[in-house]
Amino acid sequence: MKIPRSKEDDYSQEIIAQRHGWLETFTGQHFPYLQGRPYEPGSVLGTCENYVGTVGVPVGLAGPLAIHGSRAQGEFVVPMATTEGALVASFSRGMSIITESGGCHVLSPGNVLPGETGQPYRVLGDALTKVSAVVLRDAAEAGRFDGWLREHLPQIVAAANATSRFAKLLEVSPLFHGDLVGLAFTYSTDQAMGLNMATKANEAACRYILAHSGGLAIDYFNTLGGDKRFVPDQAKGRYVSASVRIPAQLLQQRLRTTAHRMRRFLGACNILLAQRGATAPNIHIANALTAMFIACGQDPAFVTVSFKNASTTFEPQSNGDLLASVTLPNLLLGTVGGGVKLPGQQECLRMLGCEGDVIKLAEIIAAVALAGEVSVAGAVTAGEFTHAHTVLGRGLHGETAERKA
Amino acid sequence: MKIPRSKEDDYSQEIIAQRHGWLETFTGQHFPYLQGRPYEPGSVLGTCENYVGTVGVPVGLAGPLAIHGSRAQGEFVVPMATTEGALVASFSRGMSIITESGGCHVLSPGNVLPGETGQPYRVLGDALTKVSAVVLRDAAEAGRFDGWLREHLPQIVAAANATSRFAKLLEVSPLFHGDLVGLAFTYSTDQAMGLNMATKANEAACRYILAHSGGLAIDYFNTLGGDKRFVPDQAKGRYVSASVRIPAQLLQQRLRTTAHRMRRFLGACNILLAQRGATAPNIHIANALTAMFIACGQDPAFVTVSFKNASTTFEPQSNGDLLASVTLPNLLLGTVGGGVKLPGQQECLRMLGCEGDVIKLAEIIAAVALAGEVSVAGAVTAGEFTHAHTVLGRGLHGETAERKA
Amino acid sequence: MKIPRSKEDDYSQEIIAQRHGWLETFTGQHFPYLQGRPYEPGSVLGTCENYVGTVGVPVGLAGPLAIHGSRAQGEFVVPMATTEGALVASFSRGMSIITESGGCHVLSPGNVLPGETGQPYRVLGDALTKVSAVVLRDAAEAGRFDGWLREHLPQIVAAANATSRFAKLLEVSPLFHGDLVGLAFTYSTDQAMGLNMATKANEAACRYILAHSGGLAIDYFNTLGGDKRFVPDQAKGRYVSASVRIPAQLLQQRLRTTAHRMRRFLGACNILLAQRGATAPNIHIANALTAMFIACGQDPAFVTVSFKNASTTFEPQSNGDLLASVTLPNLLLGTVGGGVKLPGQQECLRMLGCEGDVIKLAEIIAAVALAGEVSVAGAVTAGEFTHAHTVLGRGLHGETAERKA
Amino acid sequence: MKIPRSKEDDYSQEIIAQRHGWLETFTGQHFPYLQGRPYEPGSVLGTCENYVGTVGVPVGLAGPLAIHGSRAQGEFVVPMATTEGALVASFSRGMSIITESGGCHVLSPGNVLPGETGQPYRVLGDALTKVSAVVLRDAAEAGRFDGWLREHLPQIVAAANATSRFAKLLEVSPLFHGDLVGLAFTYSTDQAMGLNMATKANEAACRYILAHSGGLAIDYFNTLGGDKRFVPDQAKGRYVSASVRIPAQLLQQRLRTTAHRMRRFLGACNILLAQRGATAPNIHIANALTAMFIACGQDPAFVTVSFKNASTTFEPQSNGDLLASVTLPNLLLGTVGGGVKLPGQQECLRMLGCEGDVIKLAEIIAAVALAGEVSVAGAVTAGEFTHAHTVLGRGLHGETAERKA
């Protein structure tokens, strides 16, 4: 079940063919576009104007990776598109440790709407918020506009929902300031990442407001430019959380480190960089997202938003095992639209069995991110662990003595 | 000088060939890999393990874009790699407006070191900071360690500088906390993005400290995991700032908007999203960076850091012209290493004349980002401008009347 | 209606008595504690242990300030407690400009709950979120715990609501990570700032969970320490937004500046500081909050949270008027509990007519903040305006010529 | 050495007098203003306009607190001004634990300037940065202005330094954007907090530039309004870091908790709130700063900046001891100017022996903050610890079993 590698030349046609053979056995599928079949120009339609060809981003296989999710269940071979040497090898190592540990658990809580259940439990784990702005005739009428809005909400919702079979308006919240009223519209977007459908739906809602507010609203800006900035809304894409318990022995044998030491390393990162204003306690989740987004036809410009509040912990258990966890509250993904339909990218989605299953894709990406965090923390701490043994003498006290033991 | 397009079918072999012909005339170069020549597997060596092929990211041409920079001077045709429809067309429109306005000015201030000039002017516009952590034997000895550090700085600098012909240590700053001491090392990195050389140099510095501090330091973490998180250091890559003055008439004719309205739009974005914690006042600079990074073999995972403090303004001038400006304080780029050597990516770098000239590349990217901001703001404000005319009646006062005029 | 001042000695007993006379006429009230009556030690009970006396924070009068709010209506004399020279004078100037402009409008949108209206309009403008954490027996059971939570929400809500007549649980949202589940509880808190009642209610909810989840939850942390950190939740206290339209003539006469120039100044602040990671576009709202919080017995440690996303704009109107606006999305205030009952602080609350009316207090504070922003921006821009005239020669183009005119 | 308390009535005149007696023994000083002597109106001069009296903020004694700092050495009784019940008691408990643990170590690294030492070690731990903006005649001349600046730096430095005996310009860094150039001036400010002297010095520098740049600069904004916003500069006030090692036995006896459990609690805070964008990993350092700032005549509006990047860790040692640490990178303090000269506030400063010793004050405040973090984390974790014992049955595995042991 191991991905074939060659120690002499891992880039020969032969070993590449061997990997494809293995992959076909594993997945029961063929991947001709990854192997070099050129994209028909027509297949690019809708993704790029003034088209002159493609740049190839190398794809390596990582895994297998065992996942227990709500949609992603079983072992996966993961295609990662990257130009950063060592990245695929490192993630693959992390995946095999997770798999040997029995796999990781992934949670994707979805949506719960107070307006539907009548209970105050509110979860927006599968939704997209897009903010538009309405310009008022007079700042002094903001309160009156707020009142108008409350009364005409059913019509506004109807206008937004009429624009698409897929986008469904879940929530509207206002942001007041002077003669501006921001309206944060939150949608469920089915299989799409959903920004385009949200744009259309917001447009319809804004037009309704402009046409029917009796002159209170005199203008609007449909796109507030916050789509590719980070705004700490809770609802930006899919919310997924993954964790794995790695036995102490595996840490020792495979990573030559300890749970304690991995925790110390991540703690040092967080506390020292916090002095300089760092947020989002993770090591390199941006790498996982970027490689997966490019391989699977997602928009890599959304890594900026998707990685922002991503967080990682390494929690030692009393028997020396490690509980490693990552949470990605804002994964902006889709399995329709954008680059998804490009033939090579389709193959990558298909390799993961994610055609038409965006939650499954989100769960796999969370597991991949977890693998990357474990692997890099292992590498950093193993390195120094060795040095500590080599360089340091006797007579250390406290924690260090423990590490030496 | 316009990029050839076909209204019937812009993805036919014919029109693509026509564009390549035009491009060869414009640049005096050929671009066979963009046109479909497959990458030799050996050319991928060092960028991707377990290699099984490539996914193609479509490349479109945008421009020409006129730039007056310190390194980038003249008109450029810009390759952008993206799967997001309309993106290339939108950037290209922005570029042609800049070019018709006489081009944009780009500033890249480089480095000025107080330690070298003896003057307190300090500029780190072409440098990279990487933080490592040293673990002390005893938190109570942090002050003593600080003293030791000050005394042994020449040796530490020498150890770091010895690791590479290119990385040169410019500054070291400490971060104290308990038994941890963070050391922020800032390097100039020549043509490289530089993270790998910084890692090596930090490692050497940390080893020197561990070996010679007489037991004060007992361990270290070389990589603090902040490389792909955003830490608001001033020194992360290349600092570039671009601006253009666009005549009112051009705004009207080409974008059907006004400087005032563009400013209002961006102001609405910034003020409303600020209520929800947004930072970095820009519209979609992440798109510019992502498309350029993928085309030119940069690491797109660094868009996360590079876009973070990017900022945009639209400032109306008294005669109705627009001064549009962007600043990118943290562009993480290199023209050696990573994906730069892949054959298609090399072609894109070569199309821009940036082989071995990372500052030129930074300046071009700043100009591209500027074009994207102008174009999208034009689109958003033109749309509503029309609506305002269509939907709104009479009797508007204040600003709106002005817009109607 | 002007606060009495003396040009010779504004700190003599005589002028102070004169101001008190004026104040008594204006408000119909006496303020003996402000005038020096010592606090009875018993009155301090519950606010400070190991009590040894008080430090006096000087209180100055600012205003009158005309406000059109939902609760605050009319003209107010505002007590500000500060030790920063010029602060009261500056705010008072801003207030008189607002009053001369016809007063400011203040909006406080309150709460709208989707679960109550059945409509997706969601506003939390008068609420408090406090996050507790539950520790799970096993990270792999997070999904099962989520399910249990959904089923038992009515009981959890009941447990929380039973702890107080005032705190009412409006929303619960989960945050998953490994073996931790954060629970963000959002309450309405009536007249109280509400943190203590939220703590009690969270405790009851957590205890219920611990006792009834059948071992899924094995522990909890009631207080997550985020109360005095900034977490960009929407629901932290009272949301208020104030704005005023200041005639161009008043700007010229009273502030010797223009709307254009005030906008330019604030724009320069925002764009340049954004490069260094600044958030929250405002000038010095922290000053308004601090002086009002201390005078009115609020907890000044909550200025940290209350000022964080505060935002200010100066928007020139087509006739040269200025629309100045501030929004304070997170004002943590109460008119019961804490320092409110101290006798001098009670007098300040009473001076504003805010006993038992926390929304009125919030609206007044928003108006005060607005006054401070207008005044300081006027001061900064008037200074340079003069310099521009003095220092600069002829032949300026563009904006500057306009300023000179 | 314990502060006298009465179980019957801790607010009687008698027990208050007893505490003053004790305090006079401890410090050898009298504190008549704290005891109720009214402030002479003249003493308020320069701190508050339209003065009508004072509000009293209750002061409680906490400590004694043992500190090993560079300036603060010995045991201190700490005056804290607050209206939040339980706060003084909680801090005092934390202080006594620190004292019983042998005291805390505090580090204040001060300044090291590369321009002075010729070495690249750069530390700005006792400095203040204030940013002004210059408006250029033409955005296209930004590069030329940069060149002019480099040439004329000696004169600019001289102009700034000539404004005060105390402010000394240490560094100037530019921020470019369009026709704006931000200039971040960093000063040492001796005993003052320094904002006023920085304002004067920046003004002089800006005037010099305006007068001598040959028309390149046509205007400036001296105050960029970032003084009371948080801008993650490294140089904002005094940088101090405090830590203490608390024996396991003391944690058990005095706090009924463990080092492990305290770490877990703080970790839960940080990781869960990070999902919602929280920064600055600390529990309630804002409380320490606010109470100390008000007592000691500091500007409490600067707590907003001073607390922002404050960070706390609890690190278990291998023998069960706790290493607790706090770092305050941005303490904005002064022992001259502002409210320092008010008579009650002077007494508080004098109680700490900090007249004319701002670094000593900074070190004490760091130690106070540390005490608060330890005490609250102890309270939260002891509560739940008890519950865990009470509520939970048998059969717990992993960490929890360890906690039960």
Side-chain angles (χ1 to χ4, degrees):
Chain A
M1 282 287 287
K2 284 191 68 176
I3 299 165
R5 304 200 58 179
S6 157
K7 288 196 174 169
E8 289 89 59
D9 177 3
D10 205 47
Y11 295 86
S12 68
Q13 297 288 10
E14 198 185 350
I15 184 69
I16 293 171
Q18 219 176 308
R19 276 196 281 269
H20 271 281
W22 178 89
L23 188 59
E24 288 170 19
T25 307
F26 191 95
T27 64
Q29 302 170 26
H30 294 263
F31 303 94
Y33 285 102
L34 287 182
Q35 279 181 286
R37 182 189 295 178
Y39 291 9
E40 299 76 7
S43 71
V44 174
L45 183 69
T47 66
C48 182
E49 298 77 39
N50 297 344
Y51 179 66
V52 289
T54 59
V55 286
V57 183
V59 174
L61 299 182
L65 170 59
I67 306 179
H68 313 292
S70 70
R71 304 286 316 165
Q73 293 173 342
E75 297 204 359
F76 298 86
V77 174
V78 181
M80 304 188 77
T82 185
T83 62
E84 302 308 304
L87 191 143
V88 173
S90 176
F91 275 84
S92 197
R93 182 175 76 144
M95 291 178 199
S96 80
I97 289 167
I98 289 174
T99 302
E100 289 181 47
S101 301
C104 62
H105 288 81
V106 188
L107 186 68
S108 52
N111 295 332
V112 185
L113 294 170
E116 289 180 359
T117 65
Q119 288 295 323
Y121 199 53
R122 177 177 177 262
V123 189
L124 290 172
D126 185 16
L128 182 80
T129 300
K130 184 178 171 73
V131 186
S132 294
V134 164
V135 184
L136 302 180
R137 179 174 55 193
D138 189 335
E141 293 180 329
R144 204 191 297 176
F145 178 75
D146 183 30
W148 180 88
L149 209 58
R150 295 175 193 213
E151 273 174 41
H152 295 76
L153 208 69
Q155 293 91 322
I156 295 166
V157 173
N161 283 341
T163 55
S164 154
R165 273 180 307 148
F166 300 109
K168 181 161 173 281
L169 188 51
L170 305 178
E171 263 186 18
V172 186
S173 288
L175 298 163
F176 297 98
H177 188 87
D179 61 353
L180 297 168
V181 181
L183 291 168
F185 294 93
T186 300
Y187 301 92
S188 64
T189 63
D190 198 71
Q191 290 299 314
M193 188 272 283
L195 199 60
N196 287 343
M197 49 174 84
T199 299
K200 259 191 246 170
N202 274 25
E203 176 80 25
C206 289
R207 283 189 190 204
Y208 181 90
I209 292 169
L210 201 61
H212 296 87
S213 68
L216 287 172
I218 56 169
D219 199 358
Y220 65 92
F221 300 115
N222 176 20
T223 285
L224 266 195
D227 302 326
K228 280 170 182 171
R229 290 168 66 177
F230 188 78
V231 189
D233 287 325
Q234 217 183 340
K236 275 281 187 191
R238 328 291 167 169
Y239 181 115
V240 276
S241 187
S243 67
V244 62
R245 183 167 180 148
I246 304 176
Q249 202 184 353
L250 213 55
L251 293 173
Q252 177 57 39
Q253 289 170 354
R254 295 290 309 275
L255 294 174
R256 288 169 303 284
T257 189
T258 65
H260 168 74
R261 192 158 165 77
M262 288 174 76
R263 178 186 71 72
R264 273 288 271 171
F265 158 62
L266 184 54
C269 302
N270 291 341
I271 201 68
L272 293 172
L273 300 177
Q275 289 185 26
R276 295 200 157 184
T279 52
N282 74 77
I283 303 173
H284 72 136
I285 284 180
N287 279 335
L289 303 190
T290 304
M292 295 303 293
F293 276 39
I294 296 178
C296 297
Q298 308 302 309
D299 181 357
F302 277 123
V303 172
T304 52
V305 177
S306 300
F307 106 110
K308 184 56 192 327
N309 277 357
S311 44
T312 302
T313 48
F314 298 130
E315 191 58 38
Q317 307 296 295
S318 55
N319 68 348
D321 288 1
L322 172 72
L323 179 66
S325 310
V326 301
T327 305
L328 305 174
N330 298 108
L331 264 183
L332 287 165
L333 297 174
T335 54
V336 298
V340 164
K341 62 170 188 176
L342 291 169
Q345 285 83 336
Q346 263 293 328
E347 288 183 353
C348 290
L349 265 185
R350 192 153 46 78
M351 198 187 297
L352 298 167
C354 288
E355 316 95 301
D357 195 340
V358 71
I359 299 299
K360 186 176 181 185
L361 180 60
E363 292 182 342
I364 292 171
I365 289 178
V368 171
L370 180 64
E373 299 293 270
V374 165
S375 184
V376 161
V380 174
T381 56
E384 277 87 335
F385 192 52
T386 312
H387 304 147
H389 276 274
T390 314
V391 176
L392 297 173
R394 281 146 308 280
L396 304 178
H397 60 198
E399 297 249 329
T400 312
E402 180 193 27
R403 279 201 297 274
K404 283 177 57 76
Chain B
M1 283 286 285
K2 283 189 69 175
I3 299 165
R5 304 200 59 179
S6 157
K7 287 194 174 170
E8 290 88 58
D9 177 2
D10 207 45
Y11 296 86
S12 68
Q13 299 288 9
E14 198 184 349
I15 184 69
I16 293 171
Q18 221 176 305
R19 277 197 282 270
H20 271 282
W22 178 89
L23 188 59
E24 286 171 20
T25 307
F26 191 96
T27 63
Q29 303 170 25
H30 294 262
F31 303 94
Y33 285 101
L34 287 182
Q35 280 181 287
R37 182 187 297 178
Y39 292 8
E40 299 77 8
S43 72
V44 175
L45 183 69
T47 67
C48 183
E49 299 77 39
N50 298 345
Y51 179 67
V52 289
T54 60
V55 287
V57 182
V59 175
L61 298 183
L65 170 59
I67 306 179
H68 314 291
S70 69
R71 304 286 315 165
Q73 293 174 344
E75 296 202 2
F76 298 85
V77 173
V78 180
M80 304 188 77
T82 185
T83 62
E84 303 306 304
L87 191 145
V88 173
S90 176
F91 275 85
S92 197
R93 181 175 78 144
M95 291 179 197
S96 82
I97 289 168
I98 289 174
T99 302
E100 289 180 47
S101 300
C104 61
H105 288 81
V106 189
L107 186 68
S108 51
N111 298 331
V112 185
L113 295 169
E116 286 180 2
T117 66
Q119 286 295 324
Y121 199 54
R122 177 177 176 263
V123 189
L124 289 172
D126 184 17
L128 182 80
T129 300
K130 185 177 171 73
V131 186
S132 294
V134 164
V135 184
L136 301 181
R137 179 173 54 192
D138 188 337
E141 293 181 329
R144 205 191 296 175
F145 179 75
D146 183 31
W148 180 87
L149 210 58
R150 295 176 192 213
E151 272 174 42
H152 294 77
L153 209 68
Q155 293 91 320
I156 294 165
V157 172
N161 284 341
T163 56
S164 154
R165 272 181 309 149
F166 299 109
K168 182 161 173 278
L169 187 51
L170 305 178
E171 263 185 20
V172 187
S173 288
L175 298 163
F176 297 98
H177 188 85
D179 60 353
L180 296 167
V181 181
L183 292 168
F185 293 93
T186 300
Y187 301 92
S188 64
T189 63
D190 199 69
Q191 290 299 314
M193 188 273 283
L195 198 60
N196 287 344
M197 50 174 83
T199 300
K200 258 192 247 168
N202 275 26
E203 175 80 25
C206 288
R207 282 190 192 204
Y208 180 90
I209 292 168
L210 200 61
H212 295 88
S213 67
L216 286 172
I218 57 168
D219 199 356
Y220 65 92
F221 300 115
N222 176 22
T223 286
L224 266 196
D227 302 325
K228 280 171 182 168
R229 289 168 68 177
F230 187 77
V231 189
D233 287 326
Q234 218 183 340
K236 274 282 187 189
R238 329 292 168 169
Y239 180 116
V240 278
S241 186
S243 67
V244 63
R245 182 167 179 148
I246 303 175
Q249 203 184 353
L250 212 54
L251 292 174
Q252 178 57 40
Q253 290 170 353
R254 295 290 309 277
L255 293 174
R256 290 170 302 286
T257 190
T258 66
H260 167 73
R261 192 159 164 76
M262 288 174 76
R263 177 186 72 72
R264 273 287 270 171
F265 157 62
L266 186 52
C269 302
N270 291 341
I271 200 68
L272 292 172
L273 299 178
Q275 289 185 29
R276 296 202 156 182
T279 54
N282 72 79
I283 302 174
H284 70 137
I285 285 180
N287 279 335
L289 303 191
T290 303
M292 296 302 292
F293 275 39
I294 295 178
C296 298
Q298 308 302 310
D299 181 357
F302 277 122
V303 172
T304 53
V305 177
S306 301
F307 105 112
K308 183 57 192 326
N309 277 358
S311 44
T312 302
T313 49
F314 298 130
E315 190 59 36
Q317 307 296 294
S318 56
N319 67 349
D321 288 2
L322 172 73
L323 179 65
S325 310
V326 300
T327 304
L328 306 173
N330 298 107
L331 264 182
L332 286 166
L333 298 173
T335 55
V336 297
V340 164
K341 61 169 189 177
L342 291 169
Q345 285 83 335
Q346 263 294 329
E347 287 183 355
C348 290
L349 265 185
R350 190 153 47 78
M351 198 188 297
L352 298 167
C354 287
E355 315 95 300
D357 195 341
V358 70
I359 299 299
K360 186 176 181 186
L361 180 61
E363 292 182 341
I364 292 171
I365 289 177
V368 171
L370 181 63
E373 299 293 271
V374 165
S375 185
V376 160
V380 174
T381 57
E384 278 86 334
F385 191 54
T386 312
H387 303 147
H389 275 272
T390 314
V391 176
L392 296 173
R394 281 146 308 280
L396 305 176
H397 60 197
E399 297 248 331
T400 312
E402 180 193 26
R403 278 201 298 273
K404 282 175 60 75
Chain C
M1 284 287 287
K2 285 192 64 177
I3 299 165
R5 303 201 58 178
S6 158
K7 287 194 175 169
E8 289 90 58
D9 177 2
D10 206 47
Y11 294 86
S12 69
Q13 298 288 8
E14 199 184 349
I15 184 68
I16 293 171
Q18 221 176 304
R19 277 196 282 269
H20 271 281
W22 179 90
L23 188 58
E24 288 170 16
T25 305
F26 191 95
T27 63
Q29 301 171 25
H30 295 262
F31 303 94
Y33 286 102
L34 287 181
Q35 278 181 288
R37 184 188 294 178
Y39 291 8
E40 297 78 8
S43 71
V44 175
L45 185 67
T47 67
C48 183
E49 298 77 38
N50 298 343
Y51 179 67
V52 290
T54 60
V55 288
V57 182
V59 174
L61 299 182
L65 170 59
I67 305 178
H68 312 292
S70 69
R71 304 286 317 164
Q73 292 174 345
E75 296 203 359
F76 298 86
V77 175
V78 181
M80 303 188 79
T82 184
T83 62
E84 302 307 304
L87 190 144
V88 174
S90 175
F91 275 85
S92 196
R93 182 174 78 144
M95 291 179 198
S96 80
I97 289 167
I98 288 174
T99 302
E100 289 180 48
S101 301
C104 60
H105 289 81
V106 188
L107 185 69
S108 50
N111 296 333
V112 184
L113 295 170
E116 288 180 359
T117 66
Q119 287 294 324
Y121 200 52
R122 177 177 176 261
V123 190
L124 289 172
D126 184 16
L128 182 79
T129 300
K130 185 177 173 75
V131 186
S132 294
V134 165
V135 184
L136 302 180
R137 181 174 53 193
D138 188 336
E141 293 180 328
R144 203 191 298 176
F145 178 75
D146 183 29
W148 180 88
L149 209 59
R150 294 175 193 211
E151 273 174 41
H152 294 78
L153 210 69
Q155 294 90 319
I156 294 166
V157 173
N161 283 341
T163 56
S164 153
R165 273 180 309 148
F166 300 109
K168 185 165 171 276
L169 188 51
L170 306 177
E171 263 186 19
V172 186
S173 288
L175 298 163
F176 297 98
H177 188 86
D179 59 354
L180 296 168
V181 181
L183 292 168
F185 294 94
T186 300
Y187 301 92
S188 64
T189 63
D190 199 70
Q191 290 298 314
M193 188 272 280
L195 198 61
N196 286 342
M197 50 175 83
T199 300
K200 258 191 246 169
N202 275 26
E203 174 81 24
C206 288
R207 283 189 192 206
Y208 180 89
I209 293 168
L210 200 61
H212 296 86
S213 68
L216 286 172
I218 56 169
D219 199 357
Y220 65 93
F221 300 114
N222 176 22
T223 286
L224 266 195
D227 302 325
K228 281 170 182 169
R229 290 167 67 175
F230 187 77
V231 188
D233 287 324
Q234 215 181 343
K236 275 283 187 186
R238 328 292 169 167
Y239 180 115
V240 278
S241 186
S243 67
V244 63
R245 184 168 178 147
I246 304 176
Q249 201 184 355
L250 212 56
L251 292 174
Q252 177 57 40
Q253 289 171 354
R254 294 291 307 277
L255 293 174
R256 290 170 302 284
T257 190
T258 66
H260 168 73
R261 193 161 162 74
M262 288 174 76
R263 179 186 70 72
R264 273 288 270 170
F265 157 62
L266 184 53
C269 301
N270 291 341
I271 200 67
L272 293 173
L273 299 178
Q275 288 185 28
R276 295 201 158 184
T279 53
N282 73 79
I283 305 174
H284 72 135
I285 285 180
N287 279 334
L289 302 191
T290 304
M292 296 302 292
F293 275 38
I294 296 178
C296 298
Q298 307 303 309
D299 181 357
F302 277 121
V303 172
T304 51
V305 177
S306 300
F307 105 112
K308 184 57 190 329
N309 277 358
S311 45
T312 301
T313 49
F314 299 130
E315 190 59 37
Q317 306 298 294
S318 55
N319 67 350
D321 289 1
L322 173 72
L323 178 65
S325 310
V326 301
T327 304
L328 306 174
N330 297 108
L331 264 183
L332 286 166
L333 298 174
T335 55
V336 297
V340 164
K341 63 170 190 176
L342 291 169
Q345 285 83 336
Q346 262 295 328
E347 287 182 356
C348 290
L349 265 186
R350 191 153 47 78
M351 197 187 297
L352 298 167
C354 287
E355 315 95 302
D357 195 341
V358 70
I359 299 299
K360 186 176 182 185
L361 180 60
E363 292 182 342
I364 293 171
I365 289 177
V368 170
L370 180 64
E373 299 293 271
V374 166
S375 185
V376 160
V380 174
T381 57
E384 278 86 330
F385 192 52
T386 312
H387 304 148
H389 276 274
T390 314
V391 176
L392 297 172
R394 280 146 307 281
L396 305 177
H397 61 197
E399 297 249 329
T400 313
E402 181 193 27
R403 281 201 297 274
K404 283 178 57 77
Chain D
M1 283 287 287
K2 286 192 67 175
I3 299 166
R5 305 201 59 180
S6 157
K7 288 194 174 169
E8 288 91 56
D9 177 2
D10 205 48
Y11 294 87
S12 68
Q13 298 288 9
E14 199 184 348
I15 184 68
I16 293 170
Q18 221 176 306
R19 277 196 282 269
H20 272 282
W22 179 89
L23 189 58
E24 287 171 18
T25 306
F26 191 96
T27 63
Q29 301 171 26
H30 294 261
F31 303 94
Y33 285 101
L34 287 182
Q35 279 180 287
R37 185 188 293 179
Y39 292 8
E40 298 77 8
S43 72
V44 174
L45 184 69
T47 65
C48 183
E49 298 78 38
N50 297 345
Y51 179 66
V52 290
T54 59
V55 287
V57 182
V59 174
L61 298 183
L65 171 58
I67 304 178
H68 313 290
S70 70
R71 305 286 315 165
Q73 292 173 344
E75 296 203 0
F76 298 85
V77 174
V78 180
M80 304 188 79
T82 185
T83 62
E84 303 308 304
L87 191 144
V88 174
S90 176
F91 276 84
S92 197
R93 181 174 77 144
M95 291 179 197
S96 81
I97 289 167
I98 289 174
T99 303
E100 288 179 48
S101 301
C104 62
H105 288 82
V106 188
L107 186 68
S108 50
N111 297 332
V112 184
L113 295 168
E116 287 182 359
T117 66
Q119 287 295 323
Y121 200 53
R122 177 178 176 260
V123 190
L124 289 173
D126 184 16
L128 183 80
T129 300
K130 186 178 171 72
V131 185
S132 294
V134 165
V135 183
L136 302 181
R137 178 173 55 192
D138 189 336
E141 293 180 330
R144 203 192 298 176
F145 178 75
D146 183 30
W148 180 88
L149 209 58
R150 295 175 191 213
E151 272 175 41
H152 294 78
L153 208 70
Q155 294 90 321
I156 294 166
V157 173
N161 284 340
T163 55
S164 153
R165 272 181 308 148
F166 299 109
K168 181 161 175 281
L169 188 50
L170 305 178
E171 263 185 20
V172 187
S173 288
L175 298 163
F176 297 97
H177 188 86
D179 61 353
L180 297 168
V181 182
L183 292 168
F185 294 95
T186 300
Y187 301 93
S188 65
T189 63
D190 199 70
Q191 289 299 314
M193 188 272 285
L195 198 60
N196 286 343
M197 49 175 85
T199 300
K200 259 192 247 170
N202 275 25
E203 175 80 26
C206 288
R207 284 190 190 204
Y208 180 90
I209 292 168
L210 200 61
H212 295 88
S213 67
L216 286 172
I218 57 169
D219 198 358
Y220 65 93
F221 300 115
N222 176 20
T223 285
L224 265 196
D227 302 325
K228 282 171 181 167
R229 287 168 70 176
F230 188 77
V231 188
D233 287 325
Q234 218 182 341
K236 275 281 187 188
R238 328 291 166 167
Y239 181 115
V240 276
S241 187
S243 68
V244 61
R245 182 168 180 148
I246 303 177
Q249 201 185 355
L250 213 54
L251 293 173
Q252 178 56 41
Q253 290 171 354
R254 294 291 308 277
L255 293 174
R256 288 169 304 284
T257 189
T258 65
H260 168 73
R261 194 160 163 75
M262 289 175 75
R263 177 185 73 71
R264 273 287 270 170
F265 158 62
L266 185 52
C269 302
N270 292 341
I271 200 68
L272 292 172
L273 300 177
Q275 288 185 27
R276 295 202 157 183
T279 52
N282 73 78
I283 304 175
H284 71 135
I285 284 179
N287 279 334
L289 302 190
T290 303
M292 297 302 294
F293 275 39
I294 295 178
C296 297
Q298 308 303 308
D299 182 357
F302 277 123
V303 172
T304 52
V305 178
S306 301
F307 105 111
K308 185 55 192 330
N309 277 357
S311 45
T312 303
T313 49
F314 299 130
E315 189 59 38
Q317 306 297 295
S318 56
N319 67 349
D321 289 1
L322 173 73
L323 179 65
S325 309
V326 301
T327 304
L328 305 174
N330 298 107
L331 264 182
L332 286 166
L333 297 174
T335 55
V336 298
V340 163
K341 62 169 190 178
L342 291 169
Q345 285 82 336
Q346 263 294 329
E347 288 182 354
C348 290
L349 265 185
R350 190 153 47 77
M351 198 187 297
L352 298 168
C354 287
E355 315 95 300
D357 193 341
V358 71
I359 298 300
K360 186 177 182 184
L361 180 61
E363 293 181 341
I364 292 170
I365 289 177
V368 170
L370 180 63
E373 299 293 270
V374 166
S375 184
V376 161
V380 174
T381 55
E384 277 87 332
F385 192 52
T386 310
H387 304 145
H389 275 275
T390 313
V391 176
L392 295 174
R394 278 145 309 280
L396 306 176
H397 60 199
E399 297 248 330
T400 312
E402 179 193 30
R403 281 203 296 275
K404 282 178 58 77

